[in-house]
């Protein structure tokens, strides 16, 4: 990258990690500003207990934690380690939790981590402090441990200083100068620091910095209880800070770590204790430090203390020495806030990060800034993922508190959020409620999952339906299968309003702009549709988008969501005449698909929808009764479909017209879950689910969307190099041999006794009567075509590679 002046706000573990990795990558004009002292700053780094449980169902968070552990292992301070590899135990008090741990152990294999489920007796062998009588087993991860972030920070800062980075303690940021949408300088209590790029690593003070530039940083500080016990007899002879594994008792919302001869205990059982940023004191104004609130014993004792003593009996005689209410940051979706804000160029954010992921975040931020993209996919962490609805304090505070309350729940992939609902509703919402829509949230929209009105059809298909059982059947209904099967013979109406972000791109240079942004030829005839890819600078797939050319210099673009839309907007040159208008909030969409879809549309308007006048991939502006629509005719899930876009004020009329016209063709409303099942059954891929920005088109079978004869496009040279090196993974379709099994996703795929990949999407192929999955596998495993198995809740089930070629949805 060109030489830039970089100012990092915050010298905690995230700020120092970012400075460390930027320095390692050769950047030299870096300044780190901290309002507190260096380096025990008074933020969350200063009081964090340091427990590092790496493994989770999120691949990105697990990888960030892995990278943090590897970094801390290399960072010693005055001969003392920055990480103690003592392992961890997650114990289960219920069968549901034990099953979840079995599933998590499988996901550990998918993410390349060692994790094993132990019996109660084996748990005691790992940690003699615990009582096995009330547990059913536990998950042991040997690479987990205790981080010492202040030691790591000091070592990283010394390296950065040796490369020219300047650190300023007791320096408060008072304002940020922004000119023409670009950061220019940071004003502080000791003077002005010019900046081409600012990285906000201020922790729970981050929202204050965001306000200075007009960027919402949607995090909620919450106080969390942590106590220290007196010495335990069982640890009386211990001279090391920690030698026993970390313990997590999620059924009782507690965790434990050794602290020399005592135990540190954290509890999530208490009522939420949100803290307003405006109420957090500056360093030196608090009795302890800004990140620590006075302990509230009424929230900790009785049940939490009783639960702690049941698991670790030695605590009964030891008792509690002292406690704190330490402040940590929570977000609406439980993910960090990373990247450059779309609103202000040069304003970067690395917020809502725990010590567990800190060095990994610093590494990825440095790569992102220097190379234009991180090596790890960070779409789920991108600061731009929240549309305006989610930047309301009413929304993100409630949702963040809900995430705190559920942090140790057994999380089902389809579990809906409870708070901050009904934020965005399509014009069909009341009609959908009338026919019994079961809603979940999608990008803030209330999106029907299935319709209870279709329960009347269950008897028609009951013999064919594969029923789900047990925990996997939560948030599932046989109606999903009915809707999927019904479309084979009849027709369905589904709401597409929430499925994509809708942009109108127009003006002089719009075609050239899109040509540079995408991998295939966008110079298509007016009234035609094409699907194409956007790559980042390292040739990873940012998104698969749909482009509809409505006029010579006007294009209607459908992308996955807010992050992808921000990526498009970011690449418009400042001096360009290209105009990008986000029309998502003002437009709605309805789809009609199924065996009778074309017949239904032709009967509705024989002149407009006569089949001979349409070809696949065509779009026209027409009327459906008195509703003006942009009609798109295409193929999806092995059948024809029509998709209609109109303005919100006309949406209800469009629903009613199509619903009425569909009666003779047994048209039913169809939910999102049936559409997803059809997608998987028809071998159609989905961006963000089956591939993401770590993968290139050749790895996932999308090379037909790449035109290397184009003079240039973002990521072209890197793509050529990746093509020459060959794929790291291949997206492959498998069928399960057991006809009664449907897996859930992220399960490991095993071949010849070793893990060779993992499942992305999973569904049921009703044509052959077997479960179907997409899996990212090593090329060696694909080429051998030997017997494979999928590990599901601790059991292995054989599967075979399908020879049927992929059909990509356009």
């Amino acid at each position: 990258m060109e030489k830039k002046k970089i100012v990092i706000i915050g010298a905690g573990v995230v700020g120092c990690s970012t400075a460390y990795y930027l320095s390692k990558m050769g950047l030299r004009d870096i300044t780190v500003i901290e309002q507190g002292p260096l380096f025990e700053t008074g933020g969350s780094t200063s009081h964090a207990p340091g427990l590092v449980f790496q493994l989770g169902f999120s691949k990105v968070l697990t990888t960030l934690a892995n990278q943090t552990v590897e970094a801390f292992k290399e960072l010693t301070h005055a001969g003392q380690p920055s990480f103690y590899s003592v392992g961890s135990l997650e114990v289960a008090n219920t069968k549901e939790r034990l099953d979840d741990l079995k599933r998590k152990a499988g996901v550990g294999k998918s993410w390349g981590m060692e994790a094993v489920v132990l019996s109660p007796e084996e748990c005691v062998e790992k940690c003699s402090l615990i009582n096995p009588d009330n547990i059913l087993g536990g998950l042991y991860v040997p690479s987990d441990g205790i981080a010492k972030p202040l030691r790591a920070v000091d070592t990283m800062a010394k390296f950065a200083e040796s490369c020219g980075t300047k650190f300023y303690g007791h320096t408060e940021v008072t304002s940020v100068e922004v000119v023409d949408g670009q950061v220019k300088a940071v004003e502080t209590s000791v003077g002005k620091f010019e900046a081409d790029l600012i990285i906000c690593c201020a922790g729970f003070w981050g929202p204050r910095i965001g306000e200075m530039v007009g960027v919402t940083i949607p995090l909620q500080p919450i106080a969390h209880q942590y106590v220290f016990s007196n010495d335990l007899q069982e640890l009386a002879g211990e001279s090391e800070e920690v030698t026993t594994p970390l313990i997590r008792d999620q059924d009782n919302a507690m965790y434990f770590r050794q602290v020399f001869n005592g135990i540190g205990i954290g509890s999530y059982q208490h009522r939420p204790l949100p803290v307003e940023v405006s109420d957090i004191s500056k360093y030196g104004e608090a009795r302890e430090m800004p990140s620590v609130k006075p302990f509230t014993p009424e929230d900790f004792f009785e049940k939490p203390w009783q639960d702690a003593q049941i698991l670790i009996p030695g605590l009964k005689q030891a008792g509690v020495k002292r406690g704190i209410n330490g402040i940590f940051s929570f977000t609406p979706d439980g993910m960090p806030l990373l990247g450059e804000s779309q609103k202000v160029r040069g304003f970067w954010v690395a917020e809502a990060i725990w010590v567990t992921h800190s060095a990994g975040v610093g590494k990825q931020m440095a790569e992102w800034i220097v190379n234009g993209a991180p090596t790890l996919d960070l779409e789920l962490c991108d600061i731009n993922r929240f549309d305006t609805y989610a930047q309301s304090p009413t929304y993100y505070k409630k949702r963040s508190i809900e995430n705190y309350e559920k942090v140790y729940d057994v999380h089902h992939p389809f579990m809906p959020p409870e708070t901050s609902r009904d934020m965005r509703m399509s014009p069909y919402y009341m009609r959908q409620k009338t026919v019994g829509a079961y809603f979940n949230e999608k990008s803030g929209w209330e999106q029907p999952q299935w319709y209870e009105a279709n329960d009347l059809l269950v008897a028609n298909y009951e013999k064919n339906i594969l029923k789900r059982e047990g925990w996997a059947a939560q948030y599932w209904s046989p109606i999903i299968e009915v809707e999927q099967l019904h479309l084979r013979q009849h027709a369905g109406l589904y709401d597409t309003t929430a499925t994509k972000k809708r942009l109108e791109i127009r003006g002089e240079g719009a075609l050239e702009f899109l040509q540079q942004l995408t991998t295939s030829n966008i110079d298509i005839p007016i009234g035609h549709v094409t699907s194409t890819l956007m790559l980042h600078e390292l040739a990873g797939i940012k998104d698969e988008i749909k482009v509809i050319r409505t006029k010579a210099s006007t294009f209607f673009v459908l992308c996955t969501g807010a992050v992808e839309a921000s990526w498009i907007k970011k690449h418009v040159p400042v001096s360009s005449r290209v105009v990008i208008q986000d029309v998502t909030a003002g437009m709605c969409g309805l789809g009609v698909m199924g065996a009778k879809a074309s017949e239904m549309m032709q009967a509705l308007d024989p002149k407009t929808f006569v089949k001979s006048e349409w070809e696949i991939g065509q779009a026209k502006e027409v009327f459906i009764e008195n509703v003006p629509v942009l009609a798109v005719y295409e193929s999806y899930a092995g059948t024809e479909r029509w998709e209609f876009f109109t303005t919100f004020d006309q949406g209800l009329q469009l629903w009613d017209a199509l619903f009425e016209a569909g009666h003779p063709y047994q048209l039913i409303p169809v939910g999102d879950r049936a559409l997803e099942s059809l997608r998987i059954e028809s071998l159609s891929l989905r961006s963000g689910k089956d591939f993401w920005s770590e993968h290139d088109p050749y790895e996932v079978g999308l090379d037909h969307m790449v035109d290397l004869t184009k003079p240039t496009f973002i990521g072209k040279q890197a793509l050529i190099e990746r093509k020459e090196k060959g794929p790291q993974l291949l997206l492959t379709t498998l069928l399960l041999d057991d006809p009664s099994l449907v897996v859930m996703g992220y399960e490991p795929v095993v071949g010849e006794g070793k893990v060779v990949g993992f499942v992305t999407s999973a569904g049921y192929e009703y044509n052959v009567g077997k479960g179907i999955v997409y899996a990212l596998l090593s090329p060696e495993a694909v080429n051998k075509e030997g017997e494979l198995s999928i590990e599901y809740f601790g059991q292995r089930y054989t599967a075979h590679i399908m020879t049927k070629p992929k059909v990509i949805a356009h």
Side-chain angles (χ1 to χ4, degrees), residues 478-764:
I479 297 171
I480 298 168
E481 316 301 310
V482 167
E483 293 174 358
Q484 178 182 354
L485 290 166
H486 186 83
L487 287 179
R488 295 170 172 273
Q489 298 174 301
H490 306 291
L493 178 70
Y494 59 97
D495 183 356
T496 65
T497 304
T499 58
K500 295 289 183 180
K501 195 80 167 167
R502 296 173 285 280
L503 306 176
E504 184 181 77
I505 302 178
R506 66 182 187 275
E508 184 181 336
L511 173 61
E512 292 75 17
F513 169 70
L514 284 169
Q515 292 282 41
Q516 174 67 12
L517 198 70
T518 62
T519 58
S520 56
N521 183 21
I522 306 300
D523 193 6
I524 56 177
I526 295 171
H528 281 69
V529 184
T530 188
S531 289
T532 185
L533 303 175
M534 299 189 301
L535 307 182
H536 61 46
E537 286 80 351
L538 304 181
I541 303 172
K542 285 294 293 183
D543 197 15
E544 178 186 350
I545 65 173
K546 184 183 295 181
V547 180
I548 304 169
R549 192 172 194 176
T550 57
K551 297 177 183 177
S553 297
T554 303
F555 299 83
F556 187 53
V557 175
L558 303 174
C559 61
T560 296
V563 171
E564 293 75 21
S566 71
W567 169 263
I568 294 172
K569 294 173 184 176
K570 171 185 175 182
H571 284 86
V572 178
V574 176
S575 59
S576 173
R577 295 186 180 182
V578 174
V579 176
I580 298 181
Q581 183 178 359
D582 188 336
V583 296
T584 306
M587 294 191 73
C588 52
L590 279 176
V592 176
M593 69 177 295
K596 300 290 186 181
S598 289
E599 188 178 342
M600 168 191 150
M601 293 309 303
Q602 189 164 345
L604 173 63
D605 188 337
K607 183 177 181 181
T608 300
F609 292 104
V610 59
K611 196 169 181 181
S612 60
E613 296 297 319
W614 291 81
E615 59 183 81
I616 295 294
Q618 192 171 11
K620 298 180 182 180
E621 293 181 342
V622 299
F623 282 89
I624 294 179
E625 295 189 352
N626 67 335
V627 180
V629 300
L630 174 64
V632 180
Y633 179 55
E634 55 193 347
S635 63
Y636 182 83
T639 186
E640 299 168 326
R641 78 166 176 182
W642 300 86
E643 189 167 6
F644 306 110
F645 299 96
T646 190
T647 54
F648 254 60
D649 61 321
Q650 300 283 293
L652 196 58
Q653 292 188 62
L654 179 62
W655 173 283
D656 290 343
L658 292 172
F659 210 78
E660 180 66 27
H663 285 316
Y665 304 93
Q666 298 186 48
L667 176 133
I668 63 171
V670 176
D672 200 50
R673 295 280 290 277
L675 265 292
E676 176 68 358
S677 297
L678 282 167
R679 176 190 73 79
I680 296 167
E681 185 182 31
S682 65
L683 307 181
S684 302
L685 309 183
R686 193 176 104 196
S687 179
K689 180 65 175 175
D690 300 307
F691 58 89
W692 44 92
S693 67
E694 294 169 23
H695 310 116
D696 66 58
Y698 300 103
E699 294 177 317
V700 299
L702 295 177
D703 47 298
H704 63 280
M705 294 186 186
V706 176
D707 181 3
L708 290 178
T709 66
K710 285 177 66 172
T712 180
F713 56 81
I714 296 171
K716 179 181 177 181
Q717 186 56 45
L719 181 61
I720 292 171
E721 294 171 3
R722 288 176 71 153
K723 182 182 179 182
E724 291 173 351
K725 290 179 181 178
Q728 299 297 306
L729 294 167
L730 288 173
L731 189 63
T732 310
T733 311
L734 308 178
L735 279 178
L736 288 153
D737 287 358
D738 185 340
S740 65
L741 181 66
V742 179
V743 300
M744 301 184 74
Y746 301 146
E747 293 84 6
V749 180
V750 179
E752 297 185 346
K754 65 179 182 179
V755 176
V756 295
F758 62 90
V759 173
T760 59
S761 294
Y764 196 74

